Amino acid sequence: MVAADSEGSKDPGARQADLGLLVHWCVLPFRVLLVLTSHRGIQMFESDGSIMVYWHALDSGDASPVQAVFARGIAASGHFICVGTWSGRVLVFDIPAKGPNIVLSEELAGHQTPITDIATEPTQGQDCVADMVTADDSGLLCVWRSGPEFKLLTRIPGFGVPCPSVQLWQGTVAAGYGNGQVRLYEASTGTLHVQINAHARAICALDLAPEVGKLLSAAEDTFVHIWKLSRSPESVSIEAAPLL
């Protein structure tokens, strides 16, 4: 179990008041890193949390004194780790096979409001494949192709409702929204396949079992639902799956 609290960190700038927001194990082709975000910055540890290998301080930039500065949304794509920020930027870190020589290689600019979540999917060597999606507080989704330079493939407009959680499955974006809806989009084009009123209140999180095509949604209405995803060359469908 990992506690999202930076107390005891080896970084002198991280104190007990620097409360952790999010933790995530990032599985890269050659190593696993534990990534923690907080109001002060981004910390990367070896997988057991014993050694901190990288610290990135967040720059408040043009933020007003009352505006929160934070990092939110963590995902691994190839040998990169991507982290969303309060400004709408996505920081892309190039991770070496070993050691602490981690480099901030790129900042992705596709959003104007804070990032809420990031999801990735292995491309298995295919070219021109949408393998990362980012979501923000306005509901906007940006779909990317990763690589030495990330490329924005499409932007899926929001409709004034936050999108707290996204997942990628076989080229399909599954997005959960603050109005309780789950929407399925074609990642490469942004085409809407399915819209369902999955919950009575805001969706908090989605999770995915990619091998069996099952999607889990949890919401503020206190319910957890499991959905079965199906894909054909022409369309994507979703239906409620029984809770075992």
Side-chain angles (χ1 to χ4, degrees):
M1 182 177 71
V2 177
D5 188 343
S6 60
E7 182 181 8
S9 166
K10 295 178 176 60
D11 177 68
R15 298 181 177 86
Q16 186 174 357
D18 179 18
L19 298 178
L21 294 176
L22 187 66
V23 289
H24 186 70
W25 271 292
C26 289
V27 180
L28 305 162
F30 36 74
R31 69 193 296 189
V32 177
L33 292 180
L34 176 64
V35 181
L36 182 147
T37 68
S38 70
H39 293 287
R40 292 182 180 271
I42 301 161
Q43 296 167 286
M44 298 186 188
F45 297 83
E46 295 293 357
S47 59
D48 61 358
S50 60
I51 300 173
M52 188 173 71
V53 297
Y54 185 74
W55 161 263
H56 179 85
L58 291 177
D59 182 4
S60 60
D62 297 327
S64 68
V66 297
Q67 190 171 14
V69 176
F70 57 86
R72 185 171 60 191
I74 305 169
S77 180
H79 59 89
F80 300 99
I81 290 178
C82 302
V83 182
T85 67
W86 63 275
S87 67
R89 296 264 176 168
V90 177
L91 308 181
V92 179
F93 298 94
D94 194 344
I95 311 298
K98 59 182 180 179
N101 296 323
I102 295 170
V103 176
L104 176 61
S105 62
E106 194 174 358
E107 294 188 25
L108 306 180
H111 297 270
Q112 300 299 317
T113 60
I115 301 296
T116 53
D117 197 19
I118 303 175
T120 58
E121 181 178 36
T123 59
Q124 299 178 345
Q126 303 176 59
D127 294 328
C128 301
V129 173
D131 57 2
M132 186 174 83
V133 59
T134 53
D136 69 22
D137 272 342
S138 73
L140 173 70
L141 307 178
C142 288
V143 183
W144 309 83
R145 184 180 72 219
S146 64
E149 292 185 359
F150 281 62
K151 180 179 180 180
L152 178 61
L153 298 180
T154 186
R155 301 171 89 236
I156 302 173
F159 44 97
V161 178
C163 178
S165 188
V166 287
Q167 293 289 335
L168 264 176
W169 179 76
Q170 296 187 8
T172 301
V173 176
Y177 291 91
N179 61 359
Q181 289 184 346
V182 171
R183 293 184 169 201
L184 303 182
Y185 298 94
E186 187 69 28
S188 58
T189 63
T191 301
L192 176 64
H193 286 300
V194 179
Q195 173 182 303
I196 59 172
N197 295 317
H199 290 270
R201 298 185 66 181
I203 290 177
C204 303
L206 300 178
D207 202 2
L208 183 68
E211 297 82 3
V212 295
K214 288 189 176 180
L215 180 74
L216 181 146
S217 61
E220 291 180 357
D221 60 6
T222 73
F223 284 93
V224 173
H225 294 313
I226 297 178
W227 311 90
K228 175 63 177 175
L229 304 177
S230 301
R231 184 176 179 93
S232 69
E234 295 81 20
S235 65
V236 179
S237 62
I238 183 173
E239 61 182 355
L243 286 170
L244 300 179

